[in-house]
Amino acid sequence: MSFFVLMAQAIAVQAVPTTIYPQGPKTFNEQFSTWNAGPDATDQVTPLHRWRTIDKSGSASMFNHATLVSDAAFSLQPGPYLAITATKGADGQWRSGYASTKFSFKQLRGYFEFDANLPVCTKGAWPGLWMLPTEASFLWPRYGEIDLAETVGDGRIYQTIHSIVLGTPGSFASSAPCTRGWHTYGVLWRKSTISFYVDRKLTNTVATPADFTSPMYLIMDLAMGGAWAGTPTVTRESMLVRRVSAWGEQ
């Protein structure tokens, strides 16, 4: 085997960094000095907002959750950071916030990161920092889903990929302190591997499923209740986000 073939193979098999230092210019960077958001029904809205505040189908509710989407859930706070606040109304209905970059930013592979403060030990609170493909499909999870961080009040951070090729989700859960605090949640998406990070330290690596071929957009939301999270024990809760960033292929 020639030297050049050996070198090509060595380059093809990239080592997964145990500590991530994103390289190159950022392809997306949101630090919430302003909140450019709105309920854009299509990508033809003028002016088009950076953040779309309805879910992927334009529904008033968050996918299968009973939580209703409300633009009133978002507020900029000194720091600066964005607060997404879920509130239980007098009618017993939860209202909270969902925001995505579906019409403003998408990317195939690279490093993606949220800097957030999540309610990891609030029973029934279900915050999510995640990504979905722009390729249309009614057969979820064709083209994949990446969950950088989810919690359901059990003191654990769940990082997951969903794939129709896998058939079952590939998930990793790590314990988290039950005190509120800022942490970064990242994913390094490469052609061969998908690696998760908390505070830029490697938590898990899985092989990239074959159907991960569509660019993905960024999502942040706070649902309340549901089969996984259970019945909330509070009537108000917030998740905080102070930065969302992306870099090209690493």
Side-chain angles (χ1 to χ4, degrees), residues 34-249:
T34 60
W35 179 230
N36 182 359
D40 301 343
T42 71
D43 59 0
Q44 302 301 311
V45 172
T46 303
L48 188 67
H49 294 93
R50 192 174 209 194
W51 293 94
R52 183 191 192 213
T53 57
I54 54 178
D55 77 10
K56 67 175 183 178
S57 63
S59 171
S61 62
M62 295 181 187
F63 296 86
N64 296 322
H65 309 312
T67 310
L68 297 182
V69 174
S70 170
D71 280 3
F74 300 99
S75 63
L76 287 181
Q77 302 294 325
Y81 62 86
L82 178 73
I84 305 176
T85 301
T87 306
K88 187 176 183 179
D91 58 358
Q93 178 67 62
W94 280 96
R95 292 170 177 82
S96 187
Y98 170 102
S100 78
T101 63
K102 182 173 184 179
F103 297 144
S104 63
F105 173 77
K106 61 182 179 180
Q107 185 169 296
L108 180 65
R109 297 189 289 271
Y111 180 69
F112 308 83
E113 185 175 79
F114 290 83
D115 186 358
N117 184 326
L118 304 178
V120 295
C121 291
T122 300
K123 176 65 176 176
W126 188 349
L129 306 170
W130 49 305
M131 299 163 61
L132 280 177
T134 55
E135 185 72 31
S137 173
F138 295 102
L139 188 60
W140 180 87
R142 178 175 286 174
Y143 307 117
E145 174 184 322
I146 301 176
D147 302 326
L148 285 74
E150 291 180 285
T151 73
V152 288
D154 61 357
R156 298 170 73 81
I157 298 295
Y158 293 89
Q159 297 176 295
T160 310
I161 62 169
H162 298 269
S163 162
I164 203 167
V165 172
L166 289 178
T168 57
S171 183
F172 176 77
S174 59
S175 297
C178 283
T179 53
R180 295 295 298 256
W182 292 98
H183 298 279
T184 60
Y185 303 99
V187 64
L188 178 60
W189 175 13
R190 287 173 164 169
K191 191 172 183 179
S192 58
T193 57
I194 294 175
S195 304
F196 290 106
Y197 294 83
V198 174
D199 295 330
R200 297 195 170 177
K201 302 296 184 182
L202 181 67
T203 56
N204 197 32
T205 296
V206 295
T208 303
D211 59 338
F212 273 52
T213 57
S214 172
M216 293 194 184
Y217 57 92
L218 303 163
I219 306 168
M220 50 189 181
D221 73 316
L222 176 57
M224 298 297 293
W228 187 24
T231 303
T233 56
V234 298
T235 58
R236 183 180 176 89
E237 186 55 276
S238 295
M239 64 181 283
L240 316 175
V241 186
R242 65 183 176 188
R243 179 176 55 79
V244 184
S245 301
W247 290 257
E249 289 197 58

